[in-house]
Amino acid sequence: MAGADANDEDAGPEMIGENDPRVKKLQELAWSLQSVTNRPGNRLPEDAKRAAYRITTRAISLCTNAEYVEVEDFVKRAKSLTKEIEDKKKDMQELEESIKTDLSGKCFRSTGNGGYTVGQRST
């Protein structure tokens, strides 16, 4: 029996499972940021979308590899990524609102030579 106790002590660090609620929470938060950037008809610039993708990719990668990550390490990294994702989500929503505000009252106007340009809508 003494040998069995020695094996229990050498089991290694505690790992987090893929079905852990903390993993699911981070995964859903990352997906929610992706849904903001992938919404049909949004006006977000591509560089802003790429910045958001970089964050969500890191979060989803951490969630996918959760079973290979120690619990303490996952919790620390998830906390940092959660803050980053929430901040980026807020930034994306503010950016989208500012772009919508900038475009309101504008329409395509004929240039007279067969082309179009964005101009103010006449009332």
Side-chain angles (χ1 to χ4, degrees):
M1 287 300 224
D5 291 337
N7 287 340
D8 289 342
E9 291 174 10
D10 295 332
E14 183 183 352
M15 303 302 218
I16 193 162
E18 193 176 294
N19 295 323
D20 189 287
R22 295 170 288 191
V23 174
K24 296 293 183 192
K25 182 181 174 187
L26 180 61
Q27 200 171 39
E28 288 173 6
L29 188 62
W31 288 338
S32 73
L33 176 56
Q34 283 185 332
S35 70
V36 169
T37 59
N38 293 336
R39 189 175 306 129
N42 75 15
R43 306 275 187 208
L44 294 171
E46 288 300 315
D47 59 333
K49 288 181 186 181
R50 277 192 295 275
Y53 292 151
R54 280 192 287 274
I55 296 169
T56 57
T57 300
R58 289 194 337 251
I60 291 170
S61 175
L62 179 62
C63 292
T64 302
N65 297 321
E67 58 191 34
Y68 305 109
V69 178
E70 291 183 33
V71 173
E72 184 180 314
D73 188 35
F74 178 86
V75 170
K76 186 175 89 173
R77 291 169 62 189
K79 183 179 178 182
S80 143
L81 283 168
T82 298
K83 181 169 177 14
E84 263 187 90
I85 291 170
E86 288 171 347
D87 291 345
K88 184 58 79 173
K89 190 174 178 181
K90 183 179 175 187
D91 292 346
M92 291 289 115
Q93 290 169 338
E94 289 173 358
L95 178 61
E96 188 173 22
E97 283 303 312
S98 71
I99 291 171
K100 282 181 184 177
T101 303
D102 183 49
L103 291 176
S104 71
K106 294 185 179 178
C107 64
F108 285 114
R109 294 190 156 267
S110 174
T111 58
N113 60 0
Y116 291 91
T117 184
V118 176
Q120 292 296 327
R121 184 180 304 167
S122 59
T123 54

